[in-house]
Amino acid sequence: YLAAAQFNQLRHLALNSAMMGDAGAMAIAKNPVFRLKRLELTHCQLTEEAMLALIHAPHLEGLRQLRIAGNS
């Protein structure tokens, strides 16, 4: 596992087709250590609830790009 300090440096995360589902998206949405600028989660089997959680996560307000195509 990476230390939280390492995640704090992460600016671009691409997990396209990772089939992570809502659990993975919710973990990103609820974890304030992520300060991403680009997030790509296409074709990850996300529901509308998970996508909305990402959109409304306060620590992800700085996103310049959010790719969530190909989900429910």
Side-chain angles (χ1 to χ4, degrees):
Y1 291 90
L2 294 174
Q6 291 171 312
F7 280 123
N8 205 15
Q9 302 290 323
L10 189 63
R11 295 295 175 251
H12 178 200
L13 182 61
L15 297 171
N16 301 310
S17 300
M19 304 301 175
M20 59 193 245
D22 285 359
M26 293 296 199
I28 293 170
K30 292 178 180 178
N31 193 335
V33 73
F34 289 102
R35 301 281 182 207
L36 301 168
K37 297 297 178 192
R38 293 176 56 195
L39 179 58
E40 299 181 33
L41 301 174
T42 62
H43 305 284
C44 289
Q45 298 182 337
L46 306 181
T47 65
E48 183 177 346
E49 179 183 359
M51 291 184 279
L52 287 172
L54 291 166
I55 291 167
H56 296 294
H59 63 280
L60 296 176
E61 288 179 350
L63 279 177
R64 293 183 187 146
Q65 185 177 60
L66 174 61
R67 291 185 177 180
I68 52 176
N71 291 291
S72 299

